Protein backbone atom coordinates (compact mmCIF):
# COMPACT_ATOMS: atom_id res chain seq x y z
CA UNK A 1 0.00 0.00 0.00
CA UNK A 2 2.89 2.39 0.74
CA UNK A 3 4.08 2.22 -2.87
CA UNK A 4 0.61 3.34 -4.00
CA UNK A 5 0.65 6.34 -1.66
CA UNK A 6 4.15 7.24 -2.83
CA UNK A 7 2.78 7.36 -6.39
CA UNK A 8 0.06 9.79 -5.31
CA UNK A 9 2.60 12.00 -3.52
CA UNK A 10 4.86 11.94 -6.56
CA UNK A 11 2.00 13.09 -8.80
CA UNK A 12 1.10 15.91 -6.41
CA UNK A 13 4.67 17.11 -5.85
CA UNK A 14 5.51 17.16 -9.54
CA UNK A 15 2.67 19.55 -10.46
CA UNK A 16 3.31 23.28 -10.55
CA UNK A 17 -0.02 24.13 -12.15
CA UNK A 18 -2.74 24.80 -9.56
CA UNK A 19 -5.53 24.07 -12.05
CA UNK A 20 -3.98 20.69 -12.85
CA UNK A 21 -3.73 19.89 -9.14
CA UNK A 22 -7.37 20.85 -8.65
CA UNK A 23 -8.31 18.49 -11.49
CA UNK A 24 -6.21 15.72 -9.94
CA UNK A 25 -7.80 16.14 -6.52
CA UNK A 26 -11.26 16.32 -8.09
CA UNK A 27 -10.48 12.98 -9.70
CA UNK A 28 -9.06 11.34 -6.58
CA UNK A 29 -11.26 12.76 -3.82
CA UNK A 30 -14.96 13.38 -3.41
CA UNK A 31 -16.14 16.84 -2.32
CA UNK A 32 -16.77 15.41 1.15
CA UNK A 33 -13.22 14.04 1.36
CA UNK A 34 -11.71 17.33 0.21
CA UNK A 35 -13.79 19.17 2.78
CA UNK A 36 -12.70 16.75 5.52
CA UNK A 37 -9.03 17.21 4.63
CA UNK A 38 -9.38 21.00 4.59
CA UNK A 39 -11.12 20.85 7.96
CA UNK A 40 -8.40 18.69 9.48
CA UNK A 41 -5.75 21.08 8.21
CA UNK A 42 -7.56 23.97 9.94
CA UNK A 43 -7.81 21.93 13.14
CA UNK A 44 -4.11 21.03 13.12
CA UNK A 45 -3.19 24.66 12.44
CA UNK A 46 -5.38 25.91 15.29
CA UNK A 47 -4.09 23.27 17.70
CA UNK A 48 -0.48 24.05 16.86
CA UNK A 49 -1.07 27.77 17.34
CA UNK A 50 -2.63 27.03 20.72
CA UNK A 51 -4.74 30.19 20.76
CA UNK A 52 -8.18 28.52 20.85
CA UNK A 53 -9.81 25.85 22.97
CA UNK A 54 -11.11 22.70 21.32
CA UNK A 55 -14.67 23.99 21.75
CA UNK A 56 -13.74 27.29 20.10
CA UNK A 57 -12.15 25.41 17.20
CA UNK A 58 -15.29 23.28 16.83
CA UNK A 59 -17.53 26.34 16.75
CA UNK A 60 -15.26 28.40 14.48
CA UNK A 61 -14.73 25.72 11.82
CA UNK A 62 -17.92 23.66 12.32
CA UNK A 63 -15.92 20.51 13.02
CA UNK A 64 -16.89 17.82 15.49
CA UNK A 65 -15.21 17.63 18.88
CA UNK A 66 -14.40 13.98 18.06
CA UNK A 67 -12.33 15.03 15.03
CA UNK A 68 -10.57 17.71 17.04
CA UNK A 69 -9.80 15.24 19.83
CA UNK A 70 -8.36 12.74 17.33
CA UNK A 71 -6.15 15.45 15.84
CA UNK A 72 -5.06 16.62 19.30
CA UNK A 73 -4.23 13.08 20.40
CA UNK A 74 -2.24 12.52 17.23
CA UNK A 75 -0.17 15.64 17.89
CA UNK A 76 0.38 14.63 21.53
CA UNK A 77 1.81 11.25 20.51
CA UNK A 78 3.90 12.61 17.63
CA UNK A 79 7.69 12.70 18.12
CA UNK A 80 8.93 16.25 18.76
CA UNK A 81 11.02 16.41 15.59
CA UNK A 82 8.07 15.35 13.44
CA UNK A 83 5.79 17.82 15.20
CA UNK A 84 8.24 20.64 14.45
CA UNK A 85 8.44 19.63 10.76
CA UNK A 86 4.63 19.58 10.56
CA UNK A 87 4.42 22.94 12.30
CA UNK A 88 6.86 24.49 9.82
CA UNK A 89 4.95 22.95 6.93
CA UNK A 90 1.43 24.09 7.80
CA UNK A 91 1.78 27.31 9.77
Amino acid sequence: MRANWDLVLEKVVNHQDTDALMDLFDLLLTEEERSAIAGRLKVFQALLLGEMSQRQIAAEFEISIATITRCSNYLKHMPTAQRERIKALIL
Side-chain angles (χ1 to χ4, degrees):
M1 185 60 127
R2 176 67 187 192
N4 294 333
W5 184 243
D6 288 345
L7 175 63
V8 172
L9 292 178
E10 179 185 321
K11 296 294 181 191
V12 170
V13 170
N14 287 331
H15 279 288
Q16 300 296 321
D17 180 359
T18 303
D19 289 333
L21 278 175
M22 297 272 292
D23 290 341
L24 179 62
F25 284 122
D26 284 345
L27 175 70
L28 298 175
L29 303 168
T30 66
E31 176 61 34
E32 186 175 307
E33 290 166 330
R34 291 189 304 273
S35 179
I37 290 169
R40 284 210 175 185
L41 178 60
K42 286 287 191 186
V43 169
F44 280 119
Q45 288 171 324
L47 290 170
L48 288 168
L49 287 172
E51 298 171 351
M52 297 167 58
S53 71
Q54 289 189 15
R55 293 203 181 279
Q56 289 171 318
I57 294 169
E60 175 79 20
F61 302 120
E62 298 180 355
I63 295 173
S64 74
I65 291 290
T67 295
I68 297 166
T69 300
R70 281 192 299 275
C71 292
S72 177
N73 287 338
Y74 188 76
L75 287 174
K76 287 177 189 173
H77 294 99
M78 183 182 287
T80 304
Q82 183 183 14
R83 184 182 173 117
E84 290 304 313
R85 284 192 311 271
I86 294 296
K87 196 172 184 177
L89 179 67
I90 67 172
L91 290 183

